[in-house]
Amino acid sequence: MDLSRLPQHEQAQMQALLEQGQARSSIRMYNTVVERCFTDCITTFHSSALSPTETACVKQCVNAFLKHSDRVSQKFMEFS
C-alpha cells in the first residue's frame, strides 16, 4: 500500500492501523494452532507433562500448520 500521497500524520495513523492488524492476525493464527493441535493431540490429563506420543503429535501438527500457512502465503504473493 502506497501511503506516500497522504500527509505525514495520516501516514503514521495508517501505519499504526496496519501494524495493529498484523498483530491481530498473528495472535489469531497462534490461537488457531494452539486450539487445533491441543484438540487433536492432547488425550489425557494424568500428568502435567506431555507424553512422548502427545509431544510428537504436537510437533507434527505445528509443522503441518506452518507448511500450510507458508503455501497459502506463497500463493497469495503470486496473486498480489
Side-chain angles (χ1 to χ4, degrees), residues 12-79:
Q13 289 174 337
M14 288 299 293
Q15 187 64 34
L17 287 174
L18 289 171
E19 289 172 5
Q20 287 175 354
Q22 289 172 338
R24 276 192 220 113
S25 179
S26 294
I27 291 168
R28 196 172 19 252
M29 185 173 83
Y30 174 81
N31 288 338
T32 299
V33 170
V34 169
E35 183 177 348
R36 177 170 179 181
C37 294
F38 182 88
T39 300
D40 290 352
C41 298
I42 310 306
T43 57
T44 63
F45 296 95
H46 301 293
S47 171
S48 61
L50 297 177
S51 72
T53 303
E54 291 170 332
T55 300
C57 180
V58 168
K59 286 180 181 180
Q60 183 178 8
C61 180
V62 169
N63 285 334
F65 189 89
L66 291 174
K67 284 179 185 177
H68 174 74
S69 179
D70 186 45
R71 275 187 255 138
V72 169
S73 294
Q74 287 175 2
K75 288 295 181 184
F76 181 74
M77 296 281 276
E78 288 176 12
F79 293 117

